[in-house]
Amino acid sequence: MATASVNGRTVDLPEDDEPLLLDVLRDRLGLTGAKLVCGAGVCGACTVLIDGAAVVSCLMPAKAAAGKTVTTVEGIGAPELHPVQRAFMAQDALQCGFCTPGFIVEAKAFYDEWRTKHGAVAPSREDIGAAFCGHLCRCGAYDNIYRAIVDACAGAYDRAGREAPRLGARDKVTGAAVYTHDIRHEGQLEGVILRSAHAHARVAALDLSVAQRMPGVKAAVSLLDASRTVTFVGDPIAAVAAADRETAERALGAILVQFEALAAAIGPEAALAPGAAVVFPRGKGLKYNAGEGGNSPASWNGNLRGPVSAFSLRRKTARKAIDAARAANDPLLVEGVFRTSAQQHNSLEPHVAVAHFDGEDLTVEVSTQAVSALGAEIAKHFKLDPARVRVLAQHVGGGFGSKGAMRFETIAAIELAKVARAPVRVAFSRHEELSVAGYRPAVELRIALLPARDGSLSALSLTAHSDAGVAANNTVAGLARLIYTAQAKELLDYDVISNLPPGSPFRGPGGPPMAFALEQAIDEAALRLGQDPIALRKRWDANPARARLYDWAMGLDVWKARTAPSGEGRYRRGVGVAAGYWLYLWQADTKAELSVIGGRLVASLAVQDIGTGTRTVIADTLAREFGLDPSEIEVRLGDSKLPLGPGSGGSRVTASIVPTLLEASAKLKARVQGAPAAGGNAPWRARLAASPDLSVIAGRPADAKRNIYGNASLLHEAGIVGRLFGWMLRFQQKLAVGAGAPSSVQVIEVEVDTWLARVRVLRAWSGIAVGKLAAPALARNQAAGAFYQSLGHALYEGREIDSRTGRVLSVNLDDYRTPGIGDAPPIEVHFEESGFDHVPGGSVGIGEVASVPTPAALANAVRNAIGVRPQEIPIRPDRLLALLKGAAHVDGR
Amino acid sequence: MSMAADPTRPEYRAAGTDLSERRRSGVSRGALLDVAAPAGVEPTPDGGLRLGALTTIAALAADPAIRAGYPGLAAAAAGLATPQIRRMATLGGNIAQRNRCWYFRNPDIACLKKGADACPARAGNALYAVAFDSAPCVAPHPSTLAAALLAYDARLDTNQRRDAPIAEALGDGRAASAETALRPGELITAVALPAPASNERAFYKRAIGRAHAEWPLVELVLRASVEGGVFAGLRLVAGGVAPVPLRLQAAEAAALGKPATATTFAAAAAAAIEGANPLPQSRYKLDLLQGLVLDLLEQAASQG
């Protein structure tokens, strides 16, 4: 039998030709550090060393390893961490950590070779960009990855030294962190889902009996609801669990389904065409919600839902002013149509759940953004006692909005586990992940913006048509109410329903598309008024935190050196700016338990760390309160049995948990103070050590009544409708919208290659106002990552479909193109820490606001470079060429 | 390496960097035939090189004799895929790999190359399709090395024939079952390169959206000799635009014997798209092709 040496151990390789090395490592040897993500050699998450050379194990036949030395991430760093591991930890070169093992393996090989060839000198950004182009990080930790590799090669980490600022980093750089996708219980079955090949059909008959009887098959269940109707290609029909994936997939082929095809409408254009098939007559049958709130009432006209116009301000006045300006050919009237594409979340850990019943007790390990809410949702859906449902998520490989609610991986795993009476794992393939797991809806935005003669903003009209397939409730245009003061605003939101998979919330839902139109219109207005675009924003924008960010941006050398487009030369440079905001949300029913256990401080709450650094936010907050080192604090999370915590969505976690932890700290201090063994003025470390075990629970205290904004909630700026909306959120979801707005202003410098139609981002500046930084060492990483992800949307990322069949075509990571490390420009992150002093602790979330202005800032930079305005993202080479060709006359302003 | 339109027919496997993905997705389901063929680079009596079919891409890119005598091939090898893939993937496998069309790669969609009688991309989403539409299937040829080898007049040995010009082995791209004219069961064993030209420069570049690691929208291999400021020899082969790597003879003719100046570059670029018949969605590739011709001619003229 052929053998290989794996991390120093001789192992037998399978005799069979078929198995791939990654599957052998993960499934037979239990080495789950290497991850299966793309399965196509694109993302590098499965990278291992074969005789010292880094290769992708997802494509390598296992038998090809015969006689060779295989090193996985588990084989690096024992007994002592490798310098690149120390560097990744100290420089915080990771977020969710799912790509990290692949990067570490490549970095070890790169470091070893670099040091042999060059000694302890720093490689260039270009060297690293080329060497690591076979690795993708979806969180966008690229800037810190650069720093880590540079510093490690230069010798800064040859000896052990600096600690990691991120809790759990060591487990992530050594491959020890176990994600849901890595879980292998004894007797665990693998579940797969049968999906519709039709865009619209009724399932006339479904026969599972043949599949059920196949050897190795332990359960086969229907996933159809009472309507027995499938409304998109990929709509779930049934699921099968078997001992292994191959058997389960074979069984899917044995399920007999009879479809009655129904007329389909695929894509917004077809959905709005005369005579189009109506997907949900008057909304009947609508199941999916692309927004984060409940489905708000709206009118239906065929496949068109809306308009929702509640956030307008003197709507008719706005309409009249714009119509009059158009009739008068007012040169200040800016009008345009802008389009943003569907952006896939593409979390590197797919949607995955492992469900298992123990009597009446259900445990679901799941890659989720919301352990608390998901537990409640499961109990409700399956009619179970909430006390007997437990949701666990220790490490989550990214979410970005796509893992906020119960999805079919969870439903199928539970249904199958119920029948099979065994643990069942259901994990989406990358194909499923990139087609049916949700996406940021595509939007068409029609904008008209009218400055008055006196330079104020007279009227704004923004109409958004969102394309979220079979999902509704998009709010895009409405978001324009809460930034820039105008005399009147007409803000209309429509959903165009069609037989495509459902869109879902994605990092700042509606924010980047809204900004893409609004911030370009303002840029255009500034050109026409002959004003500095930042100065004009400052004039129209009443927010005091953004005013400080505008001052910062205006002071940047790159901004001061900005010139009008020349229209000449192959390479053309430009600089653009855009602003953005997000809502300051907090979960009003957040609880936290703070305990002293054996002299150690333990924080427990049912939140999850999806790579945003929640563990660290908790530890850093308590460390400051008690004068401890964060590593001295034990953080328990990722378990729905713990006191209720917020979901990782709406940037609400920091603003929900920091005040709660401060409240709990005060309570605990009072208890420890009063305990007999505690010494009066000793440091808290000593007093905790001497304290008997005890525990307190606190809720989220309210914000201070007085703040610099003069109202209790940003929504109050939207009048009575805003108040009503705020009240509904508070009542239905226990979600509060506080005063002030997390804000951002970004400046981007680009170089456009007019021959090869490529936009290269040279440098970026991101100014962020989110109050005091709760985890200062991690904040920059998250802000930069949000920027890079949004840059992907602006330049590369677009879902592509076949418009005849409704199939998604961009279902692999060759065709769905996310930024690599070579696409990540140097970025300077500037934090403006004032503005949230009314929040206990003074901190709100970064994750969403840091992504909102990016596509608009990029487009404004391209406009400044080539004199033509990009109206559609991603700005692919073909679109850039069309812009350059259409520019018979380059506008030199 | 493959030889089948029928997804259940046997396929050759070298490193598996293409085939493993198709097996995981279910696009290819036939028996596996792991190949045994030589690896390595050896000089030949006529002053050329003989490259074993299992030589890795990384080895080609790093080989001193290739870098010295065939820099366009070395640059093409260094410029394709990712470092991890280049360390595994082989010369023979690269030439015989299957196309990257998203209809072909999708296990749920039937297409010409999977035995159906029509090309769904032609009437569907053809964003990455050919711009020289000369075959029933609109997928561009996927092999960067094939373009470079065509530029160097390479010849192939297989288990069925010896010393075949690479153009003959690639065929016209009209075969329904493969992206080459290799016969059923035919396996590339070695590639021979003629003696290198003297006083020549060569370049490779691909037009892509991102910085690295992307299948080329368009790619170009250029060999040029400039004597007394005039193009004395020129060879241009484009990839990403046609069912097989495309020699741009009209562009070569437009520049040959002409001074290496911007006027000549522009004339060659204009001639490069002669005979093109893009699909509506792939028209942009012609602009990229012209941009690449300008770029590489300028580089050829400016160095040395």
Side-chain angles (χ1 to χ4, degrees):
Chain A
M1 177 178 276
T3 63
S5 164
V6 178
N7 298 337
R9 189 161 65 94
T10 301
V11 302
D12 293 334
L13 294 170
E15 308 270 359
D16 188 0
D17 289 340
E18 194 69 38
L20 298 169
L21 181 59
L22 176 65
D23 301 325
V24 171
L25 292 171
R26 287 178 59 81
D27 298 336
R28 302 192 194 184
L29 302 177
L31 294 168
T32 56
K35 308 298 185 201
L36 172 62
V37 177
C38 73
V42 184
C43 74
C46 64
T47 301
V48 301
L49 302 179
I50 302 292
D51 291 343
V55 301
V56 285
S57 63
C58 74
L59 297 179
M60 183 172 167
K63 64 185 279 196
K68 297 189 188 298
T69 299
V70 181
T71 308
T72 72
V73 69
E74 291 92 342
I76 299 172
E80 201 185 28
L81 291 179
H82 189 274
V84 298
Q85 288 170 313
R86 292 189 202 121
F88 269 62
M89 288 169 67
Q91 296 280 5
D92 194 34
L94 57 108
Q95 289 181 35
C96 83
F98 211 72
C99 72
T100 307
F103 267 103
I104 290 290
V105 170
E106 184 91 42
K108 182 217 182 286
F110 180 83
Y111 168 98
D112 292 349
E113 189 182 338
W114 183 269
R115 291 292 286 264
T116 306
K117 275 192 188 159
H118 307 279
V121 298
S124 71
R125 218 170 161 96
E126 286 68 35
D127 291 331
I128 294 169
F132 290 80
C133 70
H135 294 268
L136 295 173
C137 169
R138 188 52 167 163
C139 302
Y142 290 132
D143 207 47
N144 287 357
I145 293 173
Y146 273 120
R147 291 161 197 256
I149 297 167
V150 165
D151 289 358
C153 288
Y157 294 96
D158 289 354
R159 276 191 300 273
R162 286 169 58 194
E163 275 298 308
R166 182 180 296 267
L167 258 64
R170 176 181 282 262
D171 286 348
K172 291 180 175 176
V173 302
T174 57
V178 175
Y179 296 76
T180 307
H181 201 240
D182 301 328
I183 290 170
R184 303 285 187 278
H185 291 301
E186 189 66 35
Q188 178 174 306
L189 305 174
E190 191 72 5
V192 291
I193 295 175
L194 178 70
R195 296 179 176 281
S196 172
H198 297 263
H200 199 188
R202 221 184 75 77
V203 177
L206 175 65
D207 181 357
L208 303 170
S209 59
V210 178
Q212 257 155 354
R213 286 195 302 271
M214 285 172 67
V217 172
K218 305 293 183 191
V221 299
S222 166
L223 296 174
L224 294 171
D225 64 14
S227 74
R228 298 180 70 84
T229 304
V230 287
T231 57
F232 57 93
V233 173
D235 210 348
I237 293 171
V240 171
D244 57 72
R245 193 173 181 97
E246 293 67 36
T247 307
E249 277 173 354
R250 265 200 309 279
L252 288 189
I255 294 175
L256 306 173
V257 195
Q258 271 179 27
F259 292 101
E260 281 167 15
L262 301 171
I266 293 161
E269 207 176 312
L272 297 181
V278 178
V279 182
F280 302 121
R282 289 180 301 282
K284 191 171 174 294
L286 177 72
K287 286 188 289 197
Y288 291 96
N289 189 340
E292 288 189 317
N295 263 325
S296 53
S299 59
W300 286 82
N301 178 10
N303 292 314
L304 189 65
R305 179 181 179 274
V308 174
S309 60
F311 282 91
S312 300
L313 168 71
R314 290 192 284 279
R315 177 180 165 186
K316 284 181 183 153
T317 308
R319 184 77 264 148
K320 272 187 204 156
I322 286 162
D323 287 346
R326 191 184 299 122
N329 285 321
D330 187 334
L332 292 185
L333 176 67
V334 175
E335 291 194 275
V337 179
F338 295 88
R339 290 186 180 84
T340 60
S341 71
Q343 183 186 23
Q344 305 284 164
H345 303 80
N346 188 41
S347 304
L348 294 194
E349 182 181 29
H351 285 72
V352 52
V354 183
H356 121 247
F357 283 90
D358 181 2
E360 296 293 302
D361 292 312
L362 169 64
T363 303
V364 190
E365 293 155 292
V366 54
S367 189
T368 179
Q369 295 177 222
V371 287
S372 279
L374 182 59
E377 204 179 347
I378 288 170
K380 192 174 168 202
H381 180 89
F382 288 92
K383 299 187 174 62
L384 298 169
D385 177 356
R388 309 198 84 160
V389 176
R390 186 175 191 186
V391 173
L392 299 173
Q394 274 311 300
H395 293 290
V396 179
F400 317 113
S402 72
K403 296 174 180 170
M406 186 175 64
R407 297 298 196 98
F408 271 97
E409 80 288 343
T410 302
I411 295 170
I414 295 171
E415 294 284 10
L416 291 167
K418 208 158 56 171
V419 174
R421 302 313 296 180
V424 177
R425 183 185 88 139
V426 175
F428 281 7
S429 66
R430 195 52 35 182
H431 186 132
E432 289 173 303
E433 203 60 33
L434 290 173
S435 53
V436 295
Y439 55 91
R440 182 192 295 287
V443 191
E444 182 192 277
L445 301 114
R446 197 168 289 274
I447 194 164
L449 182 143
L450 181 65
R453 294 283 154 212
D454 67 0
S456 66
L457 180 54
S458 169
L460 169 68
S461 169
L462 183 58
T463 301
H465 285 85
S466 292
D467 160 22
V470 293
N473 203 34
N474 289 280
T475 302
V476 182
L479 296 172
R481 176 63 189 270
L482 297 171
I483 185 169
Y484 303 120
T485 308
Q487 289 159 30
K489 293 182 180 181
E490 178 187 49
L491 306 173
L492 309 179
D493 272 298
Y494 292 92
D495 298 304
V496 185
I497 304 293
S498 82
N499 292 110
L500 287 172
S504 60
F506 188 141
R507 203 169 208 162
M514 185 281 285
F516 185 66
L518 179 60
E519 293 294 310
Q520 287 204 73
I522 290 179
D523 200 62
E524 192 62 33
L527 289 170
R528 296 195 191 173
L529 290 163
Q531 292 191 21
D532 180 298
I534 301 180
L536 183 64
R537 284 177 172 82
K538 194 178 171 190
R539 174 167 184 184
W540 289 353
D541 189 345
N543 183 284
R546 280 195 296 276
R548 285 189 285 276
L549 292 176
Y550 293 134
D551 290 340
W552 161 78
M554 271 192 283
L556 294 172
D557 288 341
V558 70
W559 185 256
K560 289 188 280 195
R562 185 171 175 269
T563 56
S566 69
E568 284 169 9
R570 172 177 175 178
Y571 296 102
R572 302 180 198 169
R573 290 193 173 192
V575 181
V577 69
Y581 80 95
W582 199 241
L583 303 172
Y584 151 42
L585 298 166
W586 52 279
Q587 188 74 40
D589 52 356
T590 300
K591 303 250 179 317
E593 181 176 24
L594 202 54
S595 313
V596 183
I597 301 175
R600 188 174 161 85
L601 193 59
V602 179
S604 307
L605 58 170
V607 288
Q608 50 289 315
D609 192 339
I610 65 169
T612 48
T614 301
R615 275 189 181 84
T616 313
V617 166
I618 295 168
D620 283 9
T621 299
L622 295 172
R624 284 192 293 271
E625 278 302 294
F626 289 90
L628 302 173
D629 188 87
S631 63
E632 294 177 85
I633 294 153
E634 184 178 334
V635 177
R636 296 180 182 169
L637 51 65
D639 181 347
S640 64
K641 290 290 184 213
L642 299 172
L644 189 145
S648 301
S651 297
R652 79 185 76 164
V653 175
T654 292
S656 300
I657 67 174
V658 169
T660 310
L661 291 165
L662 294 176
E663 182 88 354
S665 297
K667 279 188 167 180
L668 189 81
K669 283 178 177 178
R671 291 276 303 277
V672 172
Q673 202 84 273
N681 288 322
W684 281 108
R685 180 179 286 108
R687 282 189 265 175
L688 291 170
S691 166
D693 287 3
L694 52 85
S695 173
V696 299
I697 288 192
R700 204 291 192 178
D703 289 354
K705 289 257 189 299
R706 293 165 68 101
N707 63 54
I708 58 170
Y709 307 100
N711 58 42
S713 167
L714 180 67
L715 288 174
H716 293 185
E717 293 174 20
I720 188 75
V721 169
R723 283 173 188 272
L724 197 64
F725 183 68
W727 181 82
M728 273 171 49
L729 274 179
R730 184 73 186 244
F731 181 74
Q732 292 175 344
Q733 299 184 46
K734 305 279 190 291
L735 202 52
V737 180
S743 293
S744 54
V745 174
Q746 291 175 347
V747 176
I748 297 178
E749 184 183 25
V750 299
E751 180 183 82
V752 177
D753 178 351
T754 58
W755 287 7
L756 300 185
R758 198 163 92 77
V759 178
R760 190 159 70 97
V761 181
L762 301 175
R763 286 180 296 172
W765 293 259
S766 184
I768 309 275
V770 289
K772 294 197 187 79
L773 301 178
L778 272 54
R780 189 182 170 286
N781 188 356
Q782 205 193 5
F787 173 85
Y788 294 141
Q789 194 178 68
S790 207
L791 194 64
H793 192 203
L795 285 174
Y796 318 122
E797 296 182 34
R799 182 192 62 173
E800 292 289 328
I801 62 159
D802 179 72
S803 57
R804 292 163 307 161
T805 58
R807 283 190 188 283
V808 179
L809 297 171
S810 48
V811 290
N812 60 60
L813 287 182
D814 278 319
D815 290 324
Y816 189 79
R817 301 169 174 196
T818 67
I821 190 164
D823 304 306
I827 182 169
E828 183 185 307
V829 181
H830 166 80
F831 287 107
E832 169 59 52
E833 295 203 43
S834 63
F836 290 94
D837 297 335
H838 53 294
V839 184
S843 305
V844 300
I846 297 170
E848 294 178 290
V849 68
S851 72
V852 172
T854 312
L858 191 277
N860 286 335
V862 171
R863 164 67 181 81
N864 182 236
I866 65 172
V868 196
R869 188 166 289 292
Q871 291 180 291
E872 184 166 12
I873 53 169
I875 309 173
R876 295 186 314 231
D878 58 312
R879 290 184 177 140
L880 188 57
L881 284 164
L883 286 176
L884 289 164
K885 286 193 151 180
H889 159 73
V890 168
D891 188 339
R893 286 180 299 185
Chain B
M1 305 190 197
S2 73
M3 52 192 191
D6 173 358
T8 62
R9 278 174 58 185
E11 281 187 84
Y12 286 124
R13 179 168 75 180
T17 53
D18 165 21
L19 182 54
S20 295
E21 188 271 333
R22 285 186 280 117
R23 292 187 80 82
R24 194 186 285 280
S25 70
V27 165
S28 297
R29 303 187 296 276
L32 287 169
L33 303 171
D34 279 314
V35 304
V41 177
E42 284 170 17
T44 53
D46 65 354
L49 293 177
R50 188 179 163 83
L51 319 174
L54 289 189
T55 310
T56 66
I57 311 290
L60 295 176
D63 186 87
I66 295 176
R67 290 165 68 106
Y70 314 87
L73 175 60
L80 70 86
T82 68
Q84 298 112 297
I85 297 288
R86 296 197 294 267
R87 292 177 195 121
M88 296 167 71
T90 66
L91 169 62
N94 186 276
I95 298 168
Q97 67 183 303
R98 303 307 308 268
N99 74 71
R100 307 304 305 190
C101 176
W102 46 25
Y103 290 91
F104 172 68
R105 296 266 157 184
N106 191 316
D108 303 328
I109 301 177
C111 87
L112 276 178
K113 300 264 181 195
K114 292 185 282 192
D117 54 9
C119 168
R122 182 173 289 284
N125 191 327
L127 185 57
Y128 302 122
V130 293
F132 291 78
D133 181 14
S134 59
C137 163
V138 299
H141 199 273
S143 173
T144 293
L145 291 187
L149 293 171
L150 184 63
Y152 283 103
D153 296 319
R155 303 174 83 84
L156 305 188
D157 284 352
T158 75
N159 59 351
Q160 295 184 16
R161 50 185 147 168
R162 301 197 68 78
D163 211 31
I166 184 159
E168 179 190 303
L170 291 170
D172 61 4
R174 299 183 61 86
S177 57
E179 285 71 17
T180 64
L182 296 175
R183 299 162 194 143
E186 188 168 14
L187 173 70
I188 300 166
T189 53
V191 174
L193 294 168
S198 53
N199 295 323
E200 187 184 86
R201 300 158 208 158
F203 302 90
Y204 167 80
K205 195 160 191 172
R206 59 176 58 183
I208 51 179
R210 291 173 295 178
H212 301 281
E214 194 168 296
W215 290 93
L217 301 169
V218 183
E219 60 188 337
L220 187 66
V221 182
L222 175 146
R223 294 171 58 196
S225 57
V226 181
E227 286 170 19
V230 168
F231 284 114
L234 193 61
R235 180 65 68 88
L236 291 165
V237 178
V241 292
V244 285
L246 188 68
R247 189 167 159 194
L248 305 176
Q249 280 167 316
E252 292 170 9
L256 214 52
K258 302 277 174 20
T261 60
T263 311
T264 302
F265 307 157
I273 62 169
E274 218 169 80
N277 55 343
L279 280 74
Q281 267 186 293
S282 64
R283 185 167 292 278
Y284 72 96
K285 287 193 169 186
L286 300 180
D287 295 315
L288 294 178
L289 179 59
Q290 291 185 298
L292 281 171
V293 170
L294 289 174
D295 183 309
L296 294 196
L297 283 173
E298 194 180 87
Q299 283 194 53
S302 69
Q303 285 192 12

